[in-house]
Amino acid sequence: MNHTLLAFSITLALTAPIPLIAADIPPGELAFSGDVRLGYFDRDREERDGTTSDNSDWRIRIRAGVLMQATPELSGKIRVAGRYSTDDSNEKHAEFFTSIPSTDGLRFGDSTIDELYLRYQPRNNWNLIMGRMQTKFELEGVAKKSLSRNDSPNTEITWTDGVYARYNDSSGWNSH
């Protein structure tokens, strides 16, 4: 099957960032965050027999969260995320999930809590997170710019449930 795929994306990110280190927020304080990604996607396909198909849609991902700094070492975060599309061929869902319902994250029309965790940082070189979180392990160099990451439409919603521990030693090594 011979086909041509054209994908055009406009991504808009409006972000109210939370500091990377939770200790930057005074104990007892809340920090709010949120972002919106909007994209237009057009896919044109030409078969060997000359038939063509065209499919296009607008997609949006919305996330809003709050971080609470309980003590200088202990913080917690909750974030709600939703993914939506104007594509009529997608099944309409409008469900709230606690587990990933499909292989590539949330389906269009679905929402969930994609972060709900406690973080303990007793020192700058230790970090312990327990709950639902975002995880990303990147290698420096070319591997960091993988095709799957660069070609992603940036509207998926996924998460990891579990415990994550990281130790950064003084020589620059990170142990996960």
Side-chain angles (χ1 to χ4, degrees), residues 37-110:
R37 287 190 177 168
L38 175 68
Y40 177 77
F41 299 85
D42 185 46
R43 292 160 300 284
D44 294 320
R45 186 176 180 139
E46 182 177 337
E47 302 292 341
R48 289 183 180 176
D49 64 4
T51 60
T52 61
S53 64
D54 180 27
N55 189 10
S56 63
D57 64 315
W58 284 93
R59 297 178 188 176
I60 189 167
R61 182 190 74 185
I62 302 169
R63 300 186 303 188
V66 62
L67 178 100
M68 166 69 168
Q69 188 69 40
T71 69
E73 297 85 17
L74 184 64
S75 63
K77 183 175 181 185
I78 184 169
R79 184 172 71 186
V80 177
R83 182 178 190 222
Y84 312 97
S85 171
T86 60
D87 185 2
D88 291 335
S89 67
N90 289 318
E91 295 179 35
K92 303 300 179 200
H93 294 285
E95 295 182 44
F96 195 84
F97 286 93
T98 57
S99 62
I100 298 176
S102 65
T103 59
D104 63 345
L106 247 53
R107 298 172 295 191
F108 293 116
D110 295 341

